[in-house]
Amino acid sequence: MRRGLAGLLFFVAAIGLALAAGGWWLQRVAFDTSHSGDLADVVLEDAAIRDEITTAAADAAAATLGVPAADLKARIDALAQTQEGAALMRQIVVDSHGRLIGERAEPVQITADELVQLTRDQRAAALPPVTLPVEEVGVLATIDDVLRWAVPIAAAVGGVALLLGLVAHPRKADAVFGIGAFCILAAVFAVLLGWVVPVFLLPALDDSTWSAVIPAIAQDSLPIVVGAAIVLAAGGLALMIGAAAARRRRDWSSPVAINRYGDQRRWS
Protein backbone atom coordinates (compact mmCIF):
# COMPACT_ATOMS: atom_id res chain seq x y z
CA MET A 1 0.00 0.00 0.00
CA ARG A 2 2.67 2.49 1.06
CA ARG A 3 4.85 1.52 -1.88
CA GLY A 4 2.00 2.11 -4.33
CA LEU A 5 1.26 5.48 -2.73
CA ALA A 6 4.93 6.44 -2.94
CA GLY A 7 5.03 5.49 -6.61
CA LEU A 8 1.98 7.65 -7.32
CA LEU A 9 3.50 10.59 -5.43
CA PHE A 10 6.79 10.24 -7.32
CA PHE A 11 4.84 10.24 -10.60
CA VAL A 12 2.95 13.40 -9.59
CA ALA A 13 6.24 14.99 -8.56
CA ALA A 14 7.79 14.12 -11.91
CA ILE A 15 4.84 15.64 -13.82
CA GLY A 16 4.79 18.80 -11.71
CA LEU A 17 8.53 19.46 -11.81
CA ALA A 18 8.78 18.66 -15.52
CA LEU A 19 5.89 21.01 -16.32
CA ALA A 20 7.50 23.74 -14.23
CA ALA A 21 10.83 23.35 -16.02
CA GLY A 22 9.22 23.28 -19.47
CA GLY A 23 6.95 26.21 -18.65
CA TRP A 24 9.90 28.25 -17.41
CA TRP A 25 11.74 27.67 -20.69
CA LEU A 26 8.61 28.59 -22.69
CA GLN A 27 8.46 31.85 -20.72
CA ARG A 28 12.08 32.57 -21.60
CA VAL A 29 11.64 31.78 -25.28
CA ALA A 30 8.23 33.34 -25.97
CA PHE A 31 7.63 35.98 -23.30
CA ASP A 32 10.99 37.38 -22.16
CA THR A 33 11.50 40.71 -23.93
CA SER A 34 15.03 41.16 -22.62
CA HIS A 35 15.94 37.83 -24.22
CA SER A 36 14.45 38.88 -27.56
CA GLY A 37 16.41 42.13 -27.31
CA ASP A 38 19.64 40.18 -26.84
CA LEU A 39 18.72 38.19 -29.95
CA ALA A 40 17.72 41.21 -32.05
CA ASP A 41 20.03 40.06 -34.85
CA VAL A 42 18.16 36.72 -34.95
CA VAL A 43 14.76 38.44 -34.96
CA LEU A 44 15.85 40.78 -37.76
CA GLU A 45 16.69 37.83 -39.98
CA ASP A 46 12.94 37.73 -40.66
CA ALA A 47 12.41 39.72 -43.86
CA ALA A 48 8.85 40.78 -42.98
CA ILE A 49 9.92 42.28 -39.65
CA ARG A 50 12.80 44.12 -41.28
CA ASP A 51 10.49 45.36 -44.02
CA GLU A 52 8.04 46.82 -41.50
CA ILE A 53 10.79 48.77 -39.74
CA THR A 54 12.66 49.91 -42.82
CA THR A 55 9.51 50.92 -44.72
CA ALA A 56 8.21 53.02 -41.82
CA ALA A 57 11.56 54.73 -41.27
CA ALA A 58 12.24 55.37 -44.97
CA ASP A 59 8.79 56.70 -45.73
CA ALA A 60 8.99 59.10 -42.78
CA ALA A 61 12.49 60.41 -43.54
CA ALA A 62 12.80 60.32 -47.33
CA ALA A 63 11.25 63.73 -48.06
CA THR A 64 13.21 65.53 -45.33
CA LEU A 65 16.50 63.97 -46.40
CA GLY A 66 15.83 64.42 -50.12
CA VAL A 67 16.46 60.75 -50.84
CA PRO A 68 14.10 58.40 -52.73
CA ALA A 69 12.21 56.23 -50.24
CA ALA A 70 13.25 53.04 -52.04
CA ASP A 71 16.95 53.95 -51.85
CA LEU A 72 16.71 54.92 -48.19
CA LYS A 73 14.83 51.73 -47.39
CA ALA A 74 17.52 49.62 -49.07
CA ARG A 75 20.21 51.45 -47.08
CA ILE A 76 18.42 50.88 -43.75
CA ASP A 77 17.67 47.26 -44.65
CA ALA A 78 21.35 46.59 -45.32
CA LEU A 79 22.20 48.12 -41.95
CA ALA A 80 19.56 46.00 -40.19
CA GLN A 81 21.29 42.83 -41.35
CA THR A 82 24.52 43.71 -39.54
CA GLN A 83 25.41 43.36 -35.87
CA GLU A 84 25.68 47.13 -35.61
CA GLY A 85 22.22 47.61 -37.08
CA ALA A 86 20.74 44.95 -34.80
CA ALA A 87 22.19 46.79 -31.80
CA LEU A 88 20.63 50.05 -33.01
CA MET A 89 17.24 48.37 -33.41
CA ARG A 90 17.38 46.44 -30.14
CA GLN A 91 14.91 48.70 -28.34
CA ILE A 92 12.50 48.55 -31.28
CA VAL A 93 12.53 44.75 -31.04
CA VAL A 94 12.04 44.83 -27.25
CA ASP A 95 9.16 47.31 -27.45
CA SER A 96 7.47 45.43 -30.30
CA HIS A 97 7.74 42.09 -28.50
CA GLY A 98 6.38 43.66 -25.32
CA ARG A 99 3.47 45.20 -27.20
CA LEU A 100 2.71 41.85 -28.89
CA ILE A 101 2.39 39.93 -25.60
CA GLY A 102 0.59 42.68 -23.69
CA GLU A 103 3.45 43.90 -21.50
CA ARG A 104 3.50 47.32 -23.16
CA ALA A 105 0.42 49.51 -23.45
CA GLU A 106 2.05 52.36 -25.36
CA PRO A 107 2.41 52.20 -29.15
CA VAL A 108 5.79 51.18 -30.56
CA GLN A 109 7.67 54.15 -32.02
CA ILE A 110 10.93 54.79 -33.82
CA THR A 111 12.26 57.92 -32.11
CA ALA A 112 14.00 60.82 -33.82
CA ASP A 113 17.33 59.73 -32.33
CA GLU A 114 16.84 56.25 -33.73
CA LEU A 115 15.98 57.72 -37.14
CA VAL A 116 19.25 59.65 -37.07
CA GLN A 117 21.18 56.46 -36.32
CA LEU A 118 19.34 54.43 -38.94
CA THR A 119 19.60 57.01 -41.74
CA ARG A 120 23.05 58.28 -40.79
CA ASP A 121 21.72 61.81 -41.29
CA GLN A 122 21.41 64.38 -38.52
CA ARG A 123 18.55 66.13 -40.31
CA ALA A 124 16.30 63.26 -39.25
CA ALA A 125 16.44 64.61 -35.68
CA ALA A 126 13.74 67.14 -36.62
CA LEU A 127 11.26 64.42 -37.55
CA PRO A 128 8.46 63.29 -35.20
CA PRO A 129 8.48 59.71 -33.89
CA VAL A 130 7.28 57.04 -36.32
CA THR A 131 4.66 54.58 -35.03
CA LEU A 132 4.89 50.92 -36.00
CA PRO A 133 1.63 48.97 -36.48
CA VAL A 134 2.26 46.45 -33.69
CA GLU A 135 -0.84 45.37 -31.77
CA GLU A 136 -1.35 43.22 -28.69
CA VAL A 137 -2.39 39.61 -29.29
CA GLY A 138 -4.87 38.76 -26.55
CA VAL A 139 -4.24 35.01 -26.62
CA LEU A 140 -0.49 35.49 -26.15
CA ALA A 141 -1.09 37.94 -23.30
CA THR A 142 -3.37 35.39 -21.61
CA ILE A 143 -0.84 32.57 -21.99
CA ASP A 144 1.84 34.83 -20.53
CA ASP A 145 -0.35 35.61 -17.50
CA VAL A 146 -1.20 31.92 -16.99
CA LEU A 147 2.44 30.88 -17.09
CA ARG A 148 3.34 33.48 -14.45
CA TRP A 149 1.29 31.66 -11.80
CA ALA A 150 1.17 28.13 -13.26
CA VAL A 151 4.96 27.59 -13.29
CA PRO A 152 5.52 28.27 -9.56
CA ILE A 153 2.41 26.27 -8.63
CA ALA A 154 3.59 23.27 -10.68
CA ALA A 155 7.03 23.52 -9.05
CA ALA A 156 5.48 23.69 -5.58
CA VAL A 157 3.16 20.73 -6.22
CA GLY A 158 6.04 18.70 -7.62
CA GLY A 159 8.30 19.51 -4.69
CA VAL A 160 5.65 18.66 -2.09
CA ALA A 161 4.75 15.40 -3.85
CA LEU A 162 8.44 14.45 -3.95
CA LEU A 163 8.84 15.02 -0.20
CA LEU A 164 5.65 13.10 0.58
CA GLY A 165 6.81 10.24 -1.62
CA LEU A 166 10.05 9.99 0.30
CA VAL A 167 8.15 9.99 3.59
CA ALA A 168 5.58 7.43 2.41
CA HIS A 169 8.13 4.86 1.29
CA PRO A 170 11.75 5.96 1.64
CA ARG A 171 13.29 3.18 -0.45
CA LYS A 172 16.30 4.29 -2.43
CA ALA A 173 15.29 2.37 -5.56
CA ASP A 174 11.85 4.02 -5.64
CA ALA A 175 13.35 7.48 -5.20
CA VAL A 176 15.87 6.86 -7.98
CA PHE A 177 13.10 5.56 -10.24
CA GLY A 178 11.07 8.73 -9.56
CA ILE A 179 14.04 10.94 -10.43
CA GLY A 180 14.51 8.98 -13.65
CA ALA A 181 10.84 9.47 -14.54
CA PHE A 182 11.22 13.20 -13.92
CA CYS A 183 14.23 13.37 -16.25
CA ILE A 184 12.38 11.61 -19.08
CA LEU A 185 9.25 13.74 -18.67
CA ALA A 186 11.40 16.87 -18.49
CA ALA A 187 13.00 15.86 -21.79
CA VAL A 188 9.57 15.45 -23.40
CA PHE A 189 8.25 18.76 -22.07
CA ALA A 190 11.47 20.53 -23.06
CA VAL A 191 10.88 19.61 -26.70
CA LEU A 192 7.13 20.27 -26.57
CA LEU A 193 7.19 23.57 -24.67
CA GLY A 194 10.62 24.73 -25.76
CA TRP A 195 10.23 24.13 -29.49
CA VAL A 196 6.96 22.63 -30.75
CA VAL A 197 4.64 25.10 -28.99
CA PRO A 198 6.55 28.34 -29.77
CA VAL A 199 7.45 27.33 -33.34
CA PHE A 200 4.15 25.83 -34.49
CA LEU A 201 1.31 26.49 -32.03
CA LEU A 202 1.77 30.10 -30.91
CA PRO A 203 2.33 31.52 -34.43
CA ALA A 204 -0.86 29.76 -35.54
CA LEU A 205 -2.82 31.88 -33.07
CA ASP A 206 -1.98 35.11 -34.89
CA ASP A 207 -0.71 35.94 -38.37
CA SER A 208 0.65 39.43 -37.70
CA THR A 209 4.20 40.29 -38.72
CA TRP A 210 5.69 40.49 -35.23
CA SER A 211 4.38 37.07 -34.20
CA ALA A 212 7.44 35.75 -36.03
CA VAL A 213 9.56 36.95 -33.10
CA ILE A 214 8.63 33.90 -31.02
CA PRO A 215 9.47 31.10 -33.51
CA ALA A 216 12.67 32.91 -34.50
CA ILE A 217 13.94 32.84 -30.92
CA ALA A 218 12.77 29.24 -30.42
CA GLN A 219 14.54 28.07 -33.57
CA ASP A 220 17.74 29.76 -32.41
CA SER A 221 17.47 27.89 -29.08
CA LEU A 222 16.79 24.50 -30.71
CA PRO A 223 20.34 23.10 -30.26
CA ILE A 224 20.13 23.83 -26.51
CA VAL A 225 16.69 22.21 -26.25
CA VAL A 226 17.71 19.10 -28.18
CA GLY A 227 20.97 18.73 -26.26
CA ALA A 228 19.23 19.09 -22.90
CA ALA A 229 16.48 16.65 -23.94
CA ILE A 230 19.00 14.01 -25.00
CA VAL A 231 20.97 14.33 -21.76
CA LEU A 232 17.81 14.23 -19.62
CA ALA A 233 16.30 11.27 -21.49
CA ALA A 234 19.53 9.26 -21.38
CA GLY A 235 20.09 10.03 -17.70
CA GLY A 236 16.49 9.26 -16.81
CA LEU A 237 16.53 5.95 -18.67
CA ALA A 238 19.78 4.96 -16.95
CA LEU A 239 18.33 5.81 -13.52
CA MET A 240 15.12 3.87 -14.15
CA ILE A 241 17.04 0.80 -15.39
CA GLY A 242 19.35 0.98 -12.40
CA ALA A 243 16.41 1.28 -10.01
CA ALA A 244 14.66 -1.70 -11.60
CA ALA A 245 17.83 -3.77 -11.36
CA ALA A 246 18.24 -2.83 -7.69
CA ARG A 247 14.68 -3.95 -7.00
CA ARG A 248 15.30 -7.30 -8.66
CA ARG A 249 18.49 -7.85 -6.66
CA ARG A 250 16.62 -6.98 -3.48
CA ASP A 251 13.79 -9.42 -4.30
CA TRP A 252 16.20 -12.27 -5.11
CA SER A 253 18.28 -11.71 -1.99
CA SER A 254 15.27 -11.45 0.37
CA PRO A 255 14.61 -14.64 2.43
CA VAL A 256 11.48 -16.60 1.64
CA ALA A 257 8.66 -15.96 4.12
CA ILE A 258 8.46 -18.56 6.92
CA ASN A 259 4.80 -19.35 6.31
CA ARG A 260 5.78 -20.68 2.86
CA TYR A 261 7.86 -23.42 4.55
CA GLY A 262 4.91 -24.16 6.82
CA ASP A 263 2.65 -24.69 3.84
CA GLN A 264 5.20 -27.03 2.23
CA ARG A 265 5.50 -29.15 5.41
CA ARG A 266 1.73 -29.40 5.76
CA TRP A 267 1.34 -30.67 2.20
CA SER A 268 4.16 -33.19 2.66
Side-chain angles (χ1 to χ4, degrees), residues 7 9-23 154-155 158-159 162 174-190 228-229 231-237 239-240:
L9 288 169
F10 282 135
F11 180 73
V12 172
I15 291 287
L17 294 175
L19 275 173
L162 177 61
D174 291 338
V176 171
F177 190 89
I179 295 173
F182 157 71
C183 291
I184 291 178
L185 287 172
V188 173
F189 284 124
V231 171
L232 285 169
L237 185 61
L239 289 172
M240 293 178 75

CSV table of all heavy atoms in Angstrom, one decimal, residues 7 9-23 154-155 158-159 162 174-190 228-229 231-237 239-240:
chain,number,residue,atom,x,y,z
A,7,GLY,N,4.9,5.5,-5.2
A,7,GLY,CA,5.0,5.5,-6.6
A,7,GLY,C,4.1,6.5,-7.3
A,7,GLY,O,4.6,7.3,-8.2
A,9,LEU,N,3.0,9.3,-5.8
A,9,LEU,CA,3.5,10.6,-5.4
A,9,LEU,C,4.7,10.9,-6.3
A,9,LEU,O,4.9,12.1,-6.7
A,9,LEU,CB,3.8,10.6,-3.9
A,9,LEU,CG,2.6,10.6,-3.0
A,9,LEU,CD1,3.1,10.4,-1.6
A,9,LEU,CD2,1.9,11.9,-3.1
A,10,PHE,N,5.6,10.0,-6.5
A,10,PHE,CA,6.8,10.2,-7.3
A,10,PHE,C,6.4,10.6,-8.8
A,10,PHE,O,7.0,11.4,-9.4
A,10,PHE,CB,7.7,9.0,-7.3
A,10,PHE,CG,8.6,8.9,-6.1
A,10,PHE,CD1,8.7,7.7,-5.4
A,10,PHE,CD2,9.2,10.0,-5.5
A,10,PHE,CE1,9.5,7.6,-4.3
A,10,PHE,CE2,9.9,9.9,-4.4
A,10,PHE,CZ,10.1,8.7,-3.8
A,11,PHE,N,5.3,9.9,-9.3
A,11,PHE,CA,4.8,10.2,-10.6
A,11,PHE,C,4.3,11.7,-10.7
A,11,PHE,O,4.5,12.4,-11.6
A,11,PHE,CB,3.8,9.2,-11.0
A,11,PHE,CG,3.2,9.5,-12.4
A,11,PHE,CD1,4.0,9.2,-13.5
A,11,PHE,CD2,1.9,10.0,-12.6
A,11,PHE,CE1,3.5,9.4,-14.8
A,11,PHE,CE2,1.4,10.2,-13.8
A,11,PHE,CZ,2.2,9.9,-14.9
A,12,VAL,N,3.5,12.0,-9.6
A,12,VAL,CA,2.9,13.4,-9.6
A,12,VAL,C,4.1,14.4,-9.5
A,12,VAL,O,4.1,15.5,-10.1
A,12,VAL,CB,2.0,13.5,-8.4
A,12,VAL,CG1,1.6,15.0,-8.2
A,12,VAL,CG2,0.8,12.7,-8.6
A,13,ALA,N,5.1,14.1,-8.7
A,13,ALA,CA,6.2,15.0,-8.6
A,13,ALA,C,7.0,15.2,-9.9
A,13,ALA,O,7.4,16.3,-10.3
A,13,ALA,CB,7.2,14.4,-7.5
A,14,ALA,N,7.1,14.0,-10.6
A,14,ALA,CA,7.8,14.1,-11.9
A,14,ALA,C,7.0,15.0,-12.9
A,14,ALA,O,7.6,15.8,-13.6
A,14,ALA,CB,8.0,12.7,-12.5
A,15,ILE,N,5.7,14.8,-12.9
A,15,ILE,CA,4.8,15.6,-13.8
A,15,ILE,C,4.9,17.1,-13.4
A,15,ILE,O,5.1,18.0,-14.3
A,15,ILE,CB,3.4,15.2,-13.8
A,15,ILE,CG1,3.2,13.8,-14.4
A,15,ILE,CG2,2.5,16.2,-14.5
A,15,ILE,CD1,3.3,13.8,-15.9
A,16,GLY,N,4.8,17.4,-12.2
A,16,GLY,CA,4.8,18.8,-11.7
A,16,GLY,C,6.1,19.5,-12.0
A,16,GLY,O,6.2,20.6,-12.5
A,17,LEU,N,7.2,18.8,-11.6
A,17,LEU,CA,8.5,19.5,-11.8
A,17,LEU,C,8.9,19.6,-13.3
A,17,LEU,O,9.5,20.6,-13.7
A,17,LEU,CB,9.6,18.6,-11.1
A,17,LEU,CG,9.5,18.6,-9.5
A,17,LEU,CD1,10.5,17.7,-8.9
A,17,LEU,CD2,9.6,20.0,-9.0
A,18,ALA,N,8.5,18.6,-14.1
A,18,ALA,CA,8.8,18.7,-15.5
A,18,ALA,C,8.0,19.8,-16.2
A,18,ALA,O,8.5,20.5,-17.0
A,18,ALA,CB,8.5,17.3,-16.2
A,19,LEU,N,6.7,19.9,-15.8
A,19,LEU,CA,5.9,21.0,-16.3
A,19,LEU,C,6.5,22.4,-15.9
A,19,LEU,O,6.5,23.3,-16.7
A,19,LEU,CB,4.5,20.9,-15.8
A,19,LEU,CG,3.5,20.0,-16.6
A,19,LEU,CD1,2.2,19.8,-15.9
A,19,LEU,CD2,3.3,20.5,-18.0
A,20,ALA,N,6.9,22.5,-14.7
A,20,ALA,CA,7.5,23.7,-14.2
A,20,ALA,C,8.7,24.1,-15.0
A,20,ALA,O,8.9,25.2,-15.4
A,20,ALA,CB,7.8,23.6,-12.7
A,21,ALA,N,9.6,23.1,-15.3
A,21,ALA,CA,10.8,23.3,-16.0
A,21,ALA,C,10.5,23.7,-17.5
A,21,ALA,O,11.1,24.7,-18.0
A,21,ALA,CB,11.7,22.1,-16.0
A,22,GLY,N,9.6,23.0,-18.1
A,22,GLY,CA,9.2,23.3,-19.5
A,22,GLY,C,8.5,24.6,-19.6
A,22,GLY,O,8.8,25.4,-20.5
A,23,GLY,N,7.6,24.9,-18.6
A,23,GLY,CA,7.0,26.2,-18.7
A,23,GLY,C,7.9,27.4,-18.5
A,23,GLY,O,7.7,28.4,-19.1
A,154,ALA,N,3.1,24.6,-10.3
A,154,ALA,CA,3.6,23.3,-10.7
A,154,ALA,C,4.9,22.9,-9.9
A,154,ALA,O,5.0,21.7,-9.5
A,154,ALA,CB,3.8,23.2,-12.2
A,155,ALA,N,5.8,23.8,-9.8
A,155,ALA,CA,7.0,23.5,-9.1
A,155,ALA,C,6.7,23.2,-7.6
A,155,ALA,O,7.3,22.3,-7.0
A,155,ALA,CB,8.0,24.7,-9.2
A,158,GLY,N,5.0,19.7,-7.4
A,158,GLY,CA,6.0,18.7,-7.6
A,158,GLY,C,7.0,18.5,-6.4
A,158,GLY,O,7.3,17.4,-6.1
A,159,GLY,N,7.4,19.6,-5.8
A,159,GLY,CA,8.3,19.5,-4.7
A,159,GLY,C,7.6,18.9,-3.5
A,159,GLY,O,8.2,18.0,-2.8
A,162,LEU,N,7.2,15.2,-4.1
A,162,LEU,CA,8.4,14.5,-3.9
A,162,LEU,C,8.8,14.2,-2.5
A,162,LEU,O,9.1,13.1,-2.1
A,162,LEU,CB,9.6,15.3,-4.6
A,162,LEU,CG,11.0,14.7,-4.5
A,162,LEU,CD1,11.1,13.3,-5.2
A,162,LEU,CD2,12.0,15.7,-5.1
A,174,ASP,N,13.0,3.3,-5.2
A,174,ASP,CA,11.8,4.0,-5.6
A,174,ASP,C,12.2,5.5,-5.9
A,174,ASP,O,11.7,6.1,-6.8
A,174,ASP,CB,10.8,3.9,-4.6
A,174,ASP,CG,10.2,2.5,-4.5
A,174,ASP,OD1,10.3,1.7,-5.4
A,174,ASP,OD2,9.6,2.1,-3.4
A,175,ALA,N,13.0,6.1,-5.0
A,175,ALA,CA,13.4,7.5,-5.2
A,175,ALA,C,14.1,7.7,-6.5
A,175,ALA,O,13.9,8.6,-7.2
A,175,ALA,CB,14.2,8.0,-4.0
A,176,VAL,N,15.1,6.8,-6.8
A,176,VAL,CA,15.9,6.9,-8.0
A,176,VAL,C,15.0,6.7,-9.2
A,176,VAL,O,15.1,7.4,-10.2
A,176,VAL,CB,17.0,5.8,-8.0
A,176,VAL,CG1,17.7,5.7,-9.3
A,176,VAL,CG2,18.0,6.1,-6.9
A,177,PHE,N,14.0,5.8,-9.1
A,177,PHE,CA,13.1,5.6,-10.2
A,177,PHE,C,12.3,6.8,-10.5
A,177,PHE,O,12.1,7.2,-11.6
A,177,PHE,CB,12.2,4.4,-9.9
A,177,PHE,CG,11.3,3.9,-11.1
A,177,PHE,CD1,11.8,3.0,-12.0
A,177,PHE,CD2,10.1,4.5,-11.3
A,177,PHE,CE1,11.1,2.6,-13.1
A,177,PHE,CE2,9.3,4.1,-12.4
A,177,PHE,CZ,9.8,3.1,-13.3
A,178,GLY,N,11.8,7.5,-9.4
A,178,GLY,CA,11.1,8.7,-9.6
A,178,GLY,C,11.9,9.8,-10.2
A,178,GLY,O,11.4,10.6,-11.0
A,179,ILE,N,13.2,9.9,-9.8
A,179,ILE,CA,14.0,10.9,-10.4
A,179,ILE,C,14.2,10.6,-11.9
A,179,ILE,O,14.3,11.5,-12.8
A,179,ILE,CB,15.4,11.0,-9.7
A,179,ILE,CG1,15.2,11.5,-8.2
A,179,ILE,CG2,16.4,11.9,-10.4
A,179,ILE,CD1,16.4,11.4,-7.4
A,180,GLY,N,14.4,9.4,-12.2
A,180,GLY,CA,14.5,9.0,-13.6
A,180,GLY,C,13.3,9.3,-14.4
A,180,GLY,O,13.4,9.8,-15.6
A,181,ALA,N,12.1,9.1,-13.9
A,181,ALA,CA,10.8,9.5,-14.5
A,181,ALA,C,10.8,11.0,-14.8
A,181,ALA,O,10.3,11.4,-15.8
A,181,ALA,CB,9.6,9.0,-13.7
A,182,PHE,N,11.2,11.7,-13.8
A,182,PHE,CA,11.2,13.2,-13.9
A,182,PHE,C,12.1,13.6,-15.1
A,182,PHE,O,11.8,14.5,-15.9
A,182,PHE,CB,11.7,13.9,-12.6
A,182,PHE,CG,12.3,15.3,-12.9
A,182,PHE,CD1,11.4,16.3,-13.2
A,182,PHE,CD2,13.6,15.5,-12.8
A,182,PHE,CE1,11.9,17.6,-13.4
A,182,PHE,CE2,14.2,16.7,-13.0
A,182,PHE,CZ,13.3,17.8,-13.3
A,183,CYS,N,13.3,13.0,-15.2
A,183,CYS,CA,14.2,13.4,-16.2
A,183,CYS,C,13.6,13.1,-17.6
A,183,CYS,O,13.7,13.9,-18.5
A,183,CYS,CB,15.5,12.6,-16.1
A,183,CYS,SG,16.5,13.1,-14.7
A,184,ILE,N,13.0,11.9,-17.8
A,184,ILE,CA,12.4,11.6,-19.1
A,184,ILE,C,11.2,12.6,-19.4
A,184,ILE,O,11.1,13.1,-20.5
A,184,ILE,CB,11.9,10.1,-19.1
A,184,ILE,CG1,13.2,9.2,-19.1
A,184,ILE,CG2,11.1,9.9,-20.3
A,184,ILE,CD1,12.8,7.8,-19.0
A,185,LEU,N,10.4,12.8,-18.4
A,185,LEU,CA,9.3,13.7,-18.7
A,185,LEU,C,9.8,15.2,-19.0
A,185,LEU,O,9.2,15.9,-19.8
A,185,LEU,CB,8.3,13.8,-17.5
A,185,LEU,CG,7.4,12.5,-17.3
A,185,LEU,CD1,6.7,12.6,-15.9
A,185,LEU,CD2,6.4,12.4,-18.4
A,186,ALA,N,10.8,15.5,-18.3
A,186,ALA,CA,11.4,16.9,-18.5
A,186,ALA,C,11.9,17.0,-19.9
A,186,ALA,O,11.8,18.0,-20.6
A,186,ALA,CB,12.5,17.1,-17.5
A,187,ALA,N,12.5,15.9,-20.4
A,187,ALA,CA,13.0,15.9,-21.8
A,187,ALA,C,11.8,16.0,-22.8
A,187,ALA,O,11.9,16.8,-23.8
A,187,ALA,CB,13.7,14.6,-22.1
A,188,VAL,N,10.7,15.4,-22.5
A,188,VAL,CA,9.6,15.5,-23.4
A,188,VAL,C,9.0,16.9,-23.4
A,188,VAL,O,8.7,17.5,-24.4
A,188,VAL,CB,8.5,14.4,-23.0
A,188,VAL,CG1,7.2,14.7,-23.8
A,188,VAL,CG2,9.0,13.0,-23.2
A,189,PHE,N,8.8,17.4,-22.2
A,189,PHE,CA,8.2,18.8,-22.1
A,189,PHE,C,9.2,19.8,-22.6
A,189,PHE,O,8.8,20.9,-23.0
A,189,PHE,CB,7.9,19.1,-20.6
A,189,PHE,CG,6.6,18.4,-20.2
A,189,PHE,CD1,6.6,17.6,-19.1
A,189,PHE,CD2,5.4,18.5,-20.9
A,189,PHE,CE1,5.4,16.9,-18.6
A,189,PHE,CE2,4.3,17.9,-20.5
A,189,PHE,CZ,4.3,17.1,-19.3
A,190,ALA,N,10.5,19.6,-22.5
A,190,ALA,CA,11.5,20.5,-23.1
A,190,ALA,C,11.3,20.7,-24.6
A,190,ALA,O,11.3,21.8,-25.1
A,190,ALA,CB,12.9,20.1,-22.7
A,228,ALA,N,19.7,19.3,-24.3
A,228,ALA,CA,19.2,19.1,-22.9
A,228,ALA,C,18.3,17.9,-22.9
A,228,ALA,O,18.3,17.1,-21.9
A,228,ALA,CB,18.5,20.3,-22.4
A,229,ALA,N,17.4,17.8,-23.9
A,229,ALA,CA,16.5,16.7,-23.9
A,229,ALA,C,17.2,15.3,-24.0
A,229,ALA,O,16.8,14.3,-23.4
A,229,ALA,CB,15.5,16.8,-25.1
A,231,VAL,N,20.3,14.6,-23.0
A,231,VAL,CA,21.0,14.3,-21.8
A,231,VAL,C,20.0,13.9,-20.7
A,231,VAL,O,20.2,12.9,-20.0
A,231,VAL,CB,21.7,15.6,-21.3
A,231,VAL,CG1,22.3,15.4,-19.9
A,231,VAL,CG2,22.9,15.9,-22.2
A,232,LEU,N,18.8,14.6,-20.6
A,232,LEU,CA,17.8,14.2,-19.6
A,232,LEU,C,17.2,12.9,-19.9
A,232,LEU,O,17.0,12.0,-19.0
A,232,LEU,CB,16.7,15.3,-19.6
A,232,LEU,CG,17.0,16.6,-19.0
A,232,LEU,CD1,15.9,17.6,-19.3
A,232,LEU,CD2,17.1,16.5,-17.5
A,233,ALA,N,16.9,12.6,-21.2
A,233,ALA,CA,16.3,11.3,-21.5
A,233,ALA,C,17.3,10.1,-21.2
A,233,ALA,O,16.9,9.1,-20.6
A,233,ALA,CB,15.9,11.3,-23.0
A,234,ALA,N,18.5,10.3,-21.6
A,234,ALA,CA,19.5,9.3,-21.4
A,234,ALA,C,19.8,9.0,-19.9
A,234,ALA,O,19.8,7.9,-19.4
A,234,ALA,CB,20.8,9.6,-22.1
A,235,GLY,N,19.9,10.2,-19.1
A,235,GLY,CA,20.1,10.0,-17.7
A,235,GLY,C,18.9,9.4,-17.0
A,235,GLY,O,19.0,8.6,-16.1
A,236,GLY,N,17.7,9.8,-17.4
A,236,GLY,CA,16.5,9.3,-16.8
A,236,GLY,C,16.3,7.8,-17.1
A,236,GLY,O,16.0,7.0,-16.2
A,237,LEU,N,16.6,7.4,-18.3
A,237,LEU,CA,16.5,5.9,-18.7
A,237,LEU,C,17.5,5.1,-17.9
A,237,LEU,O,17.2,4.0,-17.4
A,237,LEU,CB,16.8,5.8,-20.2
A,237,LEU,CG,16.6,4.4,-20.7
A,237,LEU,CD1,15.2,3.9,-20.5
A,237,LEU,CD2,16.9,4.3,-22.2
A,239,LEU,N,18.8,5.9,-14.9
A,239,LEU,CA,18.3,5.8,-13.5
A,239,LEU,C,17.2,4.8,-13.3
A,239,LEU,O,17.2,4.0,-12.4
A,239,LEU,CB,17.9,7.2,-13.1
A,239,LEU,CG,19.0,8.2,-12.9
A,239,LEU,CD1,18.4,9.6,-12.6
A,239,LEU,CD2,19.9,7.8,-11.7
A,240,MET,N,16.3,4.8,-14.3
A,240,MET,CA,15.1,3.9,-14.1
A,240,MET,C,15.6,2.4,-14.3
A,240,MET,O,15.1,1.5,-13.6
A,240,MET,CB,14.1,4.2,-15.2
A,240,MET,CG,13.4,5.6,-14.9
A,240,MET,SD,12.2,6.1,-16.2
A,240,MET,CE,10.8,5.0,-15.7
